Amino acid sequence: MKRLFVLVCALGLWAAAWAAPEVNIVPKPLNVETGDGSFTVDAATVVTVGRDASLRSVGELFAAMIEPVTGRAVKVKTAADGAKIALAVDPELGEEEYVLRVTPAGADVRGGSPKGVLYGLQSLRQLVIEGEGTVPAVTVKDKPYFGYRGAMLDVCRHFMPVEDVKAFIDILAMHKLNRFHFHLTDDQGWRIEIKKYPDLARKGSVRKETLVGNLRTSTEYDGIPYGGYYTQKQIREIVRYAAERHIEVIPEIEMPGHGLGALTAYPWLGCRGENYEVWTRWGISKDVFCAGKDSTFEFLQDVLAEVIELFPSKYIHIGGDECPKARWKECPLCQRRMKENGLKNEEELQSYFMQRIEKWLNDHGRNIIGWDEILQGGISKTATVMSWRGSKGGIAAAKAGNTVIMAPNTHCYLDYRQTQQQEFEPLGQVKYLPMRQVYALDPYEQLTPDECKYILGVQGNLWTEYIPDFRQVKHMLLPRLAAIAETGWAYDRKDFEDFSRRMRQFRKVYDCAGYNYATYFFDGKDE
Ligand code: ACM
Ligand code: ZN
């Protein structure tokens, strides 16, 4: 019996020694084949990029990413002899597709474009960090499932300085996301300089104080003025920084609700025309842009004219969510607008509002995204719906033939808490979303194969009422953003147990970057 036991153990050891090395990449790649041996990346390793300037740029990003392992940034050269990491564009591959091949003689990263190469390098970065420099021989063939893979940051409730916005973009790049939705205007502050309307930044960005504690229970305020905005120069810097990381920035200018920052700066934008103050508490102001005055539309078009100069994105997000109709009901100008245009109710007035702005943006070569409320009073064929009140708005939009981004609060609101034991978590929203729930998102829920083609992709949203600084941003975003990234990149190959196993390695990438990520999931405390 004892002899049998020894034999079984010996066989087990033999099998372990010969088992293929584990290759843990998040999000899950399409295809992984391991080979024999390994390649070691260290300070002497060279990255070669040929004469392509944008390949040089991604090569240098990679050198900086693995510097904690190599000790100093590896050299990026046009060409080199011997073992190296060679980057190349391969026109046979799709734009976001890559092939990463590692052998004992070096590594090759081929992508359909520099963007694809960068995704290959993000995978290689993970392997370098997990193996402390030693990467097993492997061929990874990979491409994303969805074309739109995004994350939103609200900088209105709490302002994040430029360096933090750049760090947010780095986090998106690490997860192979390609859209940064930048929520720039709201009731609690307007955060982008508009040259034609200087008071937006000067007055609209400042609230006189801020609620302390929970919206439901607190009546206490801190008495401290709070503000912050991005100059146009800073916005350009952010857009350029994101573009270098192959991420498109989609700005959001909220209308017709969530506009108190603007109304405070220019009271004629509202129905009542006076007595506005940037909000000091969370929730939604009843004061919204007046839909009856042509001057409101002229203002918004002037703002958008500057916005489209700053942001080259195809899409401009124009909000549309949570617009109380009380002021419009009482406003003679809004009521006249309804009558003149044969609009039956205030929902239709909102549709009129959104479609008038959409038309202007279309005429200027852009498309709109709106939150799912834009469906309520009727929607144009060309608007993209961002589903947030669960998936139902997105499902209805796809069934109607509109394109959709799925960001339902039931799975994608990363400001919701992470566990059921909220006494261990910082002050936050009451609802909670553990990793498993975020991972469970099915963007194709209830859709026929024909309707599925309207789903552009997925997005994680980070509202910052209870997130005062960037340290807390990371705690809420990580690791749950990885679950959203996997739905976006690897929808057709998801498996939660396998994901959980890979995440235990992937957290080393967070450690290496020095990120303050939440550990509830890793400690088994999130459900
Ligand atoms: C939203 O969460 N109000 C889009
Ligand atoms: Zn009005």
Side-chain angles (χ1 to χ4, degrees), residues 152 157 183 252 254 258 321-322 371-373 386 388-389 409 413 461 463:
M152 185 213 74
R157 280 48 178 264
H183 183 81
E252 181 183 359
E254 276 266 23
H258 288 276
D321 59 320
E322 299 178 314
W371 298 109
D372 58 56
E373 286 92 333
M386 187 168 272
W388 76 275
R389 295 174 302 169
N409 60 343
Y413 269 37
N461 288 342
W463 302 102

Side-chain angles (χ1 to χ4, degrees), residues 270-271 289-293 327-328 331 333-334:
C271 293
F289 286 102
C290 176
K293 298 176 191 169
R327 298 288 183 258
W328 289 359
C331 172
L333 296 177
C334 284

Side-chain angles (χ1 to χ4, degrees), residues 66-110:
I66 59 164
E67 201 176 327
V69 177
T70 54
R72 66 179 165 84
V74 299
K75 290 212 164 58
V76 179
K77 295 185 173 175
T78 311
D81 294 329
K84 57 184 173 275
I85 300 170
L87 314 189
V89 170
D90 179 345
E92 300 275 297
L93 300 174
E95 192 208 358
E96 295 194 308
E97 190 174 1
Y98 72 87
V99 178
L100 162 66
R101 200 165 60 93
V102 180
T103 69
D108 274 318
V109 186
R110 285 184 293 120

Side-chain angles (χ1 to χ4, degrees), residues 153-188:
L153 180 64
D154 163 19
V155 291
C156 300
R157 280 48 178 264
H158 284 101
F159 179 70
M160 304 288 159
V162 173
E163 287 315 305
D164 292 342
V165 176
K166 288 182 177 174
F168 188 83
I169 290 166
D170 287 339
I171 291 173
L172 305 201
M174 174 188 275
H175 293 84
K176 302 188 179 119
L177 301 183
N178 61 7
R179 299 295 199 298
F180 166 37
H181 170 175
F182 202 7
H183 183 81
L184 283 164
T185 69
D186 218 304
D187 290 327
Q188 290 81 5

